Amino acid sequence: MTQGGPDDSARRAALGEEPPARLIGAPASPGVVVGRVVMLDRRKVQVPRRHVEDSEVEAEVARLRGALDAARTQLNGIRATLPVDAQDHALILDAHLLMLDDALLVDEAEAAIRTEKVNAEWGLRRSVEHIKALFEKADDDYFRERRSDVDFVGERVLRQLMGHSQEVPKARDGEREPTILVAHELSPADTASLRAKGFAGFVTDVGSATSHTAILARALELPAVVGAQGATKFLANGDRIVVDGLRGVVVLRPNAEQIIAAEERRRRYALFVRSLDAHRDQPSSMQCGTPVALRANIELPTEALIAREQGADGVGLYRTEFLYVDRRLPPSEDEQCEVYRAVVTAMGGRPVTLRTFDIGGDKFSTAFRLPKEMNPALGLRAIRLALREREVFRAQLRAMLRAADAGPVRVMIPMIATVAELRAARAELEAARAELQARGIRAPDVPLGIMVETPSAVFIADLLAKESAFFSIGTNDLVQYSLAIDRGNEHVAYLARPLDPAILRAIHTTAQAARTAGIPCALCGAMAADLLSAPLLIGLGVGELSVDPAAVPAVKAALSRVSLREAREVAARALNLATADEVESLVRETFAPKMSDLLAAGD
Ligand code: PEP
Ligand code: MG
């Protein structure tokens, strides 16, 4: 987006009073829909505060419990109406159901009623605010989303207490045009009910593409734009809008030309999705037939099923650190084992790469007391933290080993910088195995591999390859550490180019070392999902790619358009180029004409 361009003026208008022509948000779920708006009016309920007499306390506690029960019944009802193909996502609603029983929420609200002598609404508010305060300091999308989960649950109970209706309305009856829900915010439970209620898409003022709401929207194939600031301010019931879930754009009151353009994009996207269907069930290979393992990166266990549906050949990266956020204590061995087993089972015999927790740097967790560091990205992160928190690390390794009885598991260590760290990690894995055996639990031998994402790992790739079962190159961090660019710093973001010659050479060196040692070399950074980069990576010697589940079909299609020979020729030329621009021009010139349909789908 260029500065001062039309998108900027839309943003400015959204913040001011003048209705903009369009709103820019996050593309939460792909697809395009033109339709009429139904607003969900859910102004924040004012929470009443009332003193209660001693004699009323028990009645207030009973009222709170009654409201919790009613909220539970309501959520169970929504869960039961989830369409069959979205049942796998019921876990998200289960998490809300669990929250209704959470001691932190319930006990604290009851304690407030009893000790402060306040009404049930106020007691509930106290406990919700407290839980949210625990999350307050986080500056992380995933974390923020968990805070909204607490809000969603709190609001649901509060409305029960106050007798307010809160259900999402039905789509407009007798309407020939599709109906689109516009709301300030939608909970996963709201989203789960949208298809059954006849909605064809939705727009919210707030939210991010990594929220559970967005995940459910994708599972339900509902085009959605979230975080479209100003949506509830500038739209009203009956307005016609275009929801472009591919670009994250909402066009307000489109003219005839814009409607035709949107319909054309909708048609093209539908054709594109259909054309990829053929790829979902096919093994991934280059045009010449050379197989390339194409796996999925997942962060939530529920994504394993999406990965499988999208035709992924296993999980190339499970970011297990997401199990550790938004909690005061690390997950137990049993809890982790259950989650890992569920993922392994969902993948039906395809390999699952479980990465040990990568916490620290920009990845938060309340489960650890992390020191405040000047340079957190260079500090106590990933394997460094694991080797300090040995008990937690070992519990995770035990859970991973136990899950290996459900199918093929690979254990992967993040941010390895030295051989000594790899050896220490192996020693921990062996200790974990011995502990299990002492408990009479059989622990299968699992491959232990590493992420190559520090420059030092590239320099000593030959040494690491001798002691690793596999490599997976993490270009997100490799770019950060090699080019000395803070991943989250927008001032230097222009330098963060995975096609930089320094990165290509690092990938090539790593792949060569893996080849010499006879171990597989994967790549799981975001670069692998770039359609023009994917064949180049194979040409550089990478044998497996791991991408977001939604990207699997398109990357599969892109690889099938290029032969291994051509990929190698382009890679050899790229290795002699001097700038990222030159490399980008080369891949564009050589690969883009073969995949113009794939590249155009998201334009
Ligand atoms: C990477 O660094 O490329 C990677 C895949 O790991 P993460 O993005 O989780 O740091
Ligand atoms: Mg990384």
Side-chain angles (χ1 to χ4, degrees), residues 402-443:
R402 282 170 59 192
D405 64 8
V409 159
R410 315 195 291 181
V411 173
M412 179 158 78
I413 312 292
M415 223 189 147
I416 288 285
T418 68
V419 172
E421 280 172 338
L422 170 57
R423 288 183 185 163
R426 184 178 301 285
E428 287 300 319
L429 186 67
E430 288 319 315
R433 186 191 314 284
E435 283 167 7
L436 288 176
Q437 271 156 1
R439 275 158 46 188
I441 300 172
R442 198 183 68 85

Side-chain angles (χ1 to χ4, degrees), residues 317 319 321 355 358 363 381 451 453 473-478 487 524-526:
L317 166 63
R319 292 181 164 104
E321 53 271 16
R355 181 174 76 179
D358 180 3
K363 304 189 189 190
R381 176 185 166 185
M451 295 275 304
E453 52 186 349
I473 303 175
T475 41
N476 305 342
D477 277 311
L478 192 57
R487 243 167 113 163
C524 61

Side-chain angles (χ1 to χ4, degrees), residues 6 14 60 62 101 110 207 209 253 264 359 366 379 406 409 419 434 436 451 463 502 529 541 561 592 594 598 601:
E60 280 307 294
D101 292 324
E110 288 195 15
R253 301 166 196 103
E264 175 56 23
I359 294 168
T366 42
V409 159
V419 172
L436 288 176
M451 295 275 304
L463 302 175
R561 311 273 174 92
K594 298 168 185 289
L598 305 175

